[in-house]
């Protein structure tokens, strides 16, 4: 039986084992996918084990996405440009780092929301691991302009500098968290993405409701709860909304395809993810 899994610290929230195992079983692939709580200090030894025990690969989540990038043998172009790894493939004892958050976000926008960001104006809240993948993806899809806003603005500026070095030509700017400049940018934007972790706890939201743009697609990467206060208030303002479940499924499907070398059973994965989320509440 081959091994697969997700590593993070802590990991209590992950529903990846439920929908990845469902996909493996559905396709008759003899592998077990488990969640592994790995402390940062244990990470190098764990990666050595993945290599020596011939695992198929891994998913990687907070806080290891950046650290794993320096522990693999090779990075995909997307993982290199983003500076973070969420999927590892073990190819004959060579560990290859990928970033399927990027393709997951892209597919969720196109296939789930029918939204093409080419030439449009996006406002991105958050510049952590997920924010980096979102910004990179929007730029690679030809977004016209992107405004990045992060609580610690230096992190937003570092992200903008990194993306400029990768020669993306779209207009890119950062604005201070909670500022009037942000309010002005929200008024005319086409897409607003919450890539902060604000909203995971009931009642919290990254923006006051009256600032939410009714004309925009309002996207929260959080999927549990399925309707955050951010999304509920955006709906009240008349905006179209999307939560993070589609991105989670598409990033997982892309990872499955890298490990298994075959198309992922998207419907099976989504049904298993929804069942796992229902059983959490
Ligand atoms: P990180 O820890 O890398 O980044 C956290 C982000 O949240 C930073 O921008 C941080 O800002 C911001 N933040 C945290 N607390 C606050 C606060 N009180 N006020 C304002 N900003 C705050 O996490 P990730 O980027 O990996 O994840 C971010 C979110 O995206 C999570 O909710 C996660 O569940 C979700 N996600 C969803 C995925 C999906 O497939 N749907 C995939 C990956 C992530 P600062 O830099 O100032 O600390």
């Amino acid at each position: 039986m081959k091994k697969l899994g997700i590593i993070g610290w802590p990991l209590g929230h992950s529903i990846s084992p439920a929908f990845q195992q469902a996909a493996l079983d559905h396709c008759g692939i003899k592998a077990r996918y488990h969640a592994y709580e790995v402390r940062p200090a244990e990470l190098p030894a764990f990666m050595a084990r993945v290599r020596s025990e011939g695992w198929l690969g891994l998913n990687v989540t907070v806080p290891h996405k950046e650290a794993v990038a320096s522990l693999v043998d090779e990075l995909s172009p997307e993982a290199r440009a983003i500076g973070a790894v969420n999927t590892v493939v073990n190819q004959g004892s060579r560990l290859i780092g990928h970033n399927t958050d990027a393709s997951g976000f892209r597919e969720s926008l196109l296939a789930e929301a029918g939204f093409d960001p080419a030439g449009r104006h996006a406002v991105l809240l958050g510049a952590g691991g997920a924010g980096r993948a979102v910004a990179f993806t929007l730029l690679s899809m030809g977004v016209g302009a992107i405004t990045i806003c992060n609580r610690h603005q230096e992190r937003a500026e570092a992200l903008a500098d990194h993306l400029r070095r990768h020669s993306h030509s779209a207009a890119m700017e950062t604005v201070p968290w909670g500022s009037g400049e942000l309010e002005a940018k929200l008024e005319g934007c086409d897409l607003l993405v919450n890539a902060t972790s604000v909203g995971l706890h009931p009642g919290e939201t990254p923006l006051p409701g009256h600032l939410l743009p009714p004309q925009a697609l309002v996207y929260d990467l959080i999927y549990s709860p399925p309707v955050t206060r951010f999304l509920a208030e955006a709906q009240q303002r008349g905006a179209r909304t999307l939560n993070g479940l589609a991105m989670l499924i598409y990033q997982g499907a892309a990872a499955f395809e890298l490990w298994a070398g075959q198309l992922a059973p998207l419907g099976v994965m989504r049904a298993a993810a929804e069942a796992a989320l229902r059983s959490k509440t």
Side-chain angles (χ1 to χ4, degrees):
M1 194 62 90
K2 288 283 188 183
K3 285 185 177 175
L4 279 165
I6 180 164
I7 57 169
W9 179 263
L11 247 188
H13 63 282
S14 179
I15 61 167
S16 292
F19 69 79
Q20 291 290 3
Q21 192 63 54
L24 292 163
D25 294 346
H26 178 83
C27 295
I29 297 169
K30 294 193 181 337
R32 283 274 156 253
Y33 186 112
H34 288 299
Y36 297 87
E37 290 207 309
V38 177
R39 289 183 166 84
E42 300 163 346
L43 190 60
F46 194 91
M47 297 303 286
R49 198 179 135 197
V50 169
R51 191 195 308 266
S52 66
E53 293 178 0
W55 291 37
L56 285 180
L58 282 179
N59 280 136
V60 181
T61 188
V62 177
H64 299 317
K65 289 184 181 181
E66 286 168 40
V68 164
S70 61
L71 293 172
V72 293
D73 301 304
E74 197 180 317
L75 291 172
S76 72
E78 287 196 337
R80 184 183 307 281
I82 294 165
V85 164
N86 82 326
T87 300
V88 176
V89 180
N90 188 7
Q91 269 179 8
S93 294
R94 273 183 69 74
L95 301 183
I96 319 293
H98 295 263
N99 192 306
T100 67
D101 283 336
S103 59
F105 180 70
R106 182 168 58 237
E107 286 308 306
S108 69
L109 270 188
L110 294 174
E112 194 83 7
F115 181 91
D116 181 353
R120 317 287 284 278
H121 175 211
V123 174
L124 169 62
L125 306 177
R132 292 177 81 87
V134 166
F136 168 85
T137 309
L138 288 172
L139 291 164
S140 67
M141 294 174 82
V143 73
I146 181 163
T147 304
I148 307 174
C149 182
N150 196 58
R151 176 180 56 174
H152 294 97
Q153 201 184 349
E154 64 277 10
R155 207 172 175 191
E157 281 162 6
L159 171 57
D161 286 345
H162 173 84
L163 293 165
R164 280 186 201 107
R165 278 198 299 279
H166 280 79
S167 72
H168 287 289
S169 56
M172 212 178 331
E173 63 186 352
T174 66
V175 293
W177 189 257
S179 65
E181 287 166 75
L182 173 61
E183 287 185 35
K185 296 295 171 185
L186 288 167
E187 276 174 18
C189 75
D190 302 300
L191 173 67
L192 169 63
V193 182
N194 177 32
T196 76
S197 46
V198 183
L200 285 170
H201 302 294
E204 61 182 26
T205 186
L207 274 183
H210 71 275
L211 296 182
L212 294 167
Q215 78 284 354
L217 171 64
V218 177
Y219 190 156
D220 199 334
L221 297 200
I222 293 171
Y223 52 85
S224 180
V227 184
T228 54
R229 180 173 161 196
F230 180 72
L231 289 189
E233 290 180 345
Q235 286 164 6
Q236 283 160 19
R237 300 261 300 154
R240 209 152 67 87
T241 62
L242 186 65
N243 76 12
L245 184 62
M247 175 175 170
L248 182 77
I249 301 298
Y250 283 114
Q251 66 76 31
F256 178 95
E257 289 172 6
L258 287 166
W259 300 319
Q262 65 183 80
L263 279 180
L266 270 173
V268 169
M269 295 175 95
R270 186 183 287 255
E274 286 170 351
L277 284 174
R278 276 196 302 276
S279 72
K280 273 178 56 171
T281 52

